[in-house]
Every structure is written in C-alpha cells, then in structure tokens.
C-alpha cells in the first residue's frame, strides 16, 4: 500500500518564525520527496476549542492558508483542504465517540493539565472551564487521521499521546466491527528546530515572545533587534550555545554558515552585529514568500477556490470510505437488507 502522510494545522494565531522553522518548512520539504500521498488540512474545528472569537478564527484561517501556499506548498502533490469542508469527519467523530472509552480521554495530557490547574482552586470544580470539545479533542483528531487511513502523521512531541489514542480507537473499531482502519504512526522529526523566542524561552504564542513570519521587513528587523541579550561588551568572546540569536540563526542557516557564525561569536561579535546578521539571513529566505503572501492575502476568493478543490479531492476518498464505515456499524440503506 502507498504511504499516506497526513497532518493538521490549528487555525489559531498568525504563523511565526517558530512555526516556519519547526513545521512549515520541513513539512513542505517532505512533500517533495514522499512518493506516496500527502494530505494537509486546516484544523479549524479544533481551533474552536481554544478560541471563541469568530473574527480571530477567520483571520487565522486565511493567514495560515496563505502562509502555506506562499511558502511553496504544491497542491499538485498535496491534498490541501479545510477540516470543516469534509462533513464525513464529524460523522466519523460521532461513531468514534461511541467506540472510545471515556476512561481513555480521562488520561489525556491536555485534559489532565486543565484539571490539575483547577484542583486546589477555591471553586473546587476539577472540570472548571473544560468544554466537551477539549475533553474529546483526541477523538476528533482520530477521526481526522482515520477518515483518510493515513499511515504516517508528522507531529510535534506533544501530539504523541493523541496518536496512541487514535490507534487505540482504530483497534477497538476494527475488533468490534470490521478491519477497516490502518494503524497510524506518529512521525517525530528529531532534528527539527524548536525556536527560542525573543525572551529566550521556547517561541510560542502563549508566551507572547514570537516573531511574526511575514511582518513587513522593517517590523521583522525591529523584532529581531528586541531579542534579549546579556550585557557582554561588543568585542568580548561570546558563547553561541547560550544565545537565542545564535539558536535562531542556526535554524535558518546551512551548516557552513552556522560554523562560520560560531567562529564569529568565539572571536567576539557585537550583539548588534549578530542581530543584523540574523535579520539578513532570515530576510533573504523569506523575502520572496513574503511578497507572495501579501499578494495572496489580498485574494481570499482565490484561496477559497484552492481549498474547495482540495476538499473535493479529499472527499472522493472520504465519501466512499464513510459509506463502508457506516455499513460496518449497521447504518445503510434499508433496501439492501436481505429479508
Ligand atoms: N492537534 C494538532 C496540533 O495541535 C493539530 C491536529 C488536529 C492534527 N488534527 C490533526 C495533527 C490530525 C495531525 C493529524 O498540532
């Protein structure tokens, strides 16, 4: 069987440099060499779990779609669609709700973390602020993956448990009804960079330390100049392994460029110079996609068309497969029942 690689991108927030280095760039590279099939979708139903602002959801969906296209995602080699355009997914989600043990969801890290925060608070409600969406997040994710019988799912480490749960759900279904689902494997890219943010912690929207990917050039420069450094004098030798500027540089540069920069640190590079070099390196790489992004974002109707075409392709598979799944659980045309 052909390898089918599938992954989802949450549509909350605007893509930043960390997303680019850690997910977008490696994923697009991988689609070029995969001889099997690639499925990539905007997880906008998942986004509703974390975000209840419709304007933000819309803004982020457009920005995320435009970003991937601007960075060179090729819709000829990748089925690119939006989760909400595949009505088969929520139906499968329901079937899985009926297959999945509640106890399995009780053990989900994200849910347990929310409960841990609540326990000990004076409201005394372990489930305070926990929606059914959050609780059942892994079930919907299993439906995303299993709807297309993906064999490989590139994700971050934080998603490993979700893949174990998807396999658990698939196995239960296969055992109870019929062997329909392939066991999906998480694919963790070991050497992919986790970027540090402007304050030295992991670059993350929740820390407010991100550098936007497609900010205008001036703003990019400003954001880089604001990266926190220590107070070493300009000519003092500096430890590259203790510098966020170097860490970010490394994620963009080639091995030779990185070695050369390491040398400059050890020789003594002024922080201002290091920042300038970082700005130039990043800018060189993203100048072209940034222009493309600016064009695309002005043409939402064109992006919509691309997504619709992707959904149509995806549904040629999901429609047929869902009919089979429904049949397995006993939902099919009554006319087909032998009397
Ligand atoms: N949960 C994933 C994340 O936070 C996003 C996602 C949703 C996903 N559905 C998926 C990833 C299916 C892979 C496959 O990154």
């Amino acid at each position: 069987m052909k390898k089918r690689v599938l992954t989802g991108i949450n549509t909350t927030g605007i893509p930043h440099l960390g997303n680019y280095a850690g997910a977008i760039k490696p994923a697009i590279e991988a689609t070029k060499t995969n001889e099997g099939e690639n499925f990539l979708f905007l997880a906008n139903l998942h986004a509703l779990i974390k975000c209840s602002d419709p304007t933000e959801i819309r803004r982020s969906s457009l920005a995320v779609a435009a970003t991937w296209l601007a960075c060179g995602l090729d819709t000829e080699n990748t089925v690119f669609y939006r989760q909400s355009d595949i009505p088969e997914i929520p139906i499968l989600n329901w079937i899985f709700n009926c297959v999945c043990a509640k106890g399995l969801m009780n053990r989900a890290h994200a849910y347990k973390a929310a409960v841990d925060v609540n326990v000990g608070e004076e409201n005394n409600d372990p489930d305070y602020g926990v929606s059914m969406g959050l609780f059942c997040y892994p079930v919907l994710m299993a439906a995303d993956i299993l709807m297309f019988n993906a064999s490989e799912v590139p994700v971050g480490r934080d998603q490993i448990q979700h893949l174990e749960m998807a396999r658990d759900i698939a196995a239960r279904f296969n055992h109870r009804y019929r062997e329909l689902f392939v066991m999906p494997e998480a694919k963790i890219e070991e050497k992919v960079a986790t970027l540090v943010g402007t304050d030295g912690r992991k670059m993350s929207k929740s820390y407010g330390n991100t550098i936007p990917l497609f900010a205008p050039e001036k703003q990019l420069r400003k954001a880089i100049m604001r990266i926190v450094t220590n107070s070493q004098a300009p000519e003092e030798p500096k430890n590259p392994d203790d510098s966020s500027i170097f860490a970010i540089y490394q994620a963009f540069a080639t091995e030779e460029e990185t070695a050369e920069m390491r040398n400059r640190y050890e020789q003594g590079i002024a922080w201002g110079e290091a920042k300038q070099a970082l700005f130039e390196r990043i800018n060189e790489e993203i100048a072209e996609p940034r222009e493309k992004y600016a064009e695309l974002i002005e043409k939402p109707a064109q992006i919509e068309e691309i997504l619709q075409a992707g959904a149509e392709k995806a549904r040629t598979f999901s429609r047929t497969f869902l009919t089979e799944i429904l049949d397995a659980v006993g939902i099919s045309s009554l006319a087909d029942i032998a009397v």
Side-chain angles (χ1 to χ4, degrees), residues 157-332:
R157 299 203 151 277
D158 59 329
Q159 301 294 313
I160 292 177
Q161 190 195 33
H162 290 153
L163 266 115
E164 284 164 4
M165 290 173 159
R167 281 203 296 278
D168 191 300
I169 292 169
R172 275 170 198 254
F173 183 101
N174 286 351
H175 177 73
R176 187 182 293 177
Y177 297 106
R178 210 188 283 167
E179 284 277 337
L180 289 181
F181 295 111
V182 167
M183 293 294 141
E185 297 286 340
K187 186 163 172 262
I188 311 296
E189 184 68 81
E190 294 295 346
K191 57 183 200 325
V192 157
T194 308
L195 275 207
V196 288
T198 51
D199 61 356
R201 291 187 291 175
K202 175 183 176 222
M203 190 180 289
S204 160
K205 194 181 138 220
S206 44
Y207 293 148
N209 63 357
T210 63
I211 300 176
L213 175 57
F214 290 139
E217 193 173 312
K218 258 195 184 156
Q219 212 178 311
L220 173 68
R221 193 164 187 284
K222 241 184 171 170
I224 291 172
M225 294 303 158
R226 268 201 307 265
I227 297 175
V228 179
T229 55
N230 61 25
S231 54
Q232 281 181 291
E235 65 291 345
E236 253 183 275
K238 300 184 174 63
N239 179 4
D241 299 316
D242 188 30
S243 157
S244 342
I245 304 168
F246 184 80
I248 302 176
Y249 185 85
Q250 195 168 21
F252 284 85
T254 62
E255 266 175 46
E256 296 84 75
E257 287 170 322
T258 305
E260 200 188 308
M261 188 54 73
R262 180 173 283 282
N263 211 352
R264 288 178 70 188
Y265 270 68
E266 282 155 5
Q267 301 297 313
I269 186 175
W271 287 128
E273 262 177 85
K275 288 177 177 179
Q276 181 63 25
L278 175 62
F279 163 73
E280 281 167 16
R281 187 62 190 79
I282 294 178
N283 199 46
E284 174 193 322
E285 181 158 336
I286 66 168
E288 216 181 285
R290 184 171 51 214
E291 254 175 60
K292 184 107 193 288
Y293 178 83
E295 277 170 35
L296 278 166
I297 210 96
E298 293 295 317
K299 296 180 193 143
Q302 195 180 320
I303 301 178
E304 181 63 32
E305 228 172 84
I306 294 172
L307 289 173
Q308 290 303 332
E312 206 30 66
K313 272 194 219 167
R315 291 193 71 200
T316 56
F317 183 85
S318 60
R319 275 198 210 99
T320 326
F321 192 34
L322 183 67
T323 308
E324 231 182 303
I325 298 165
L326 286 169
D327 182 67
V329 304
I331 300 176
S332 59

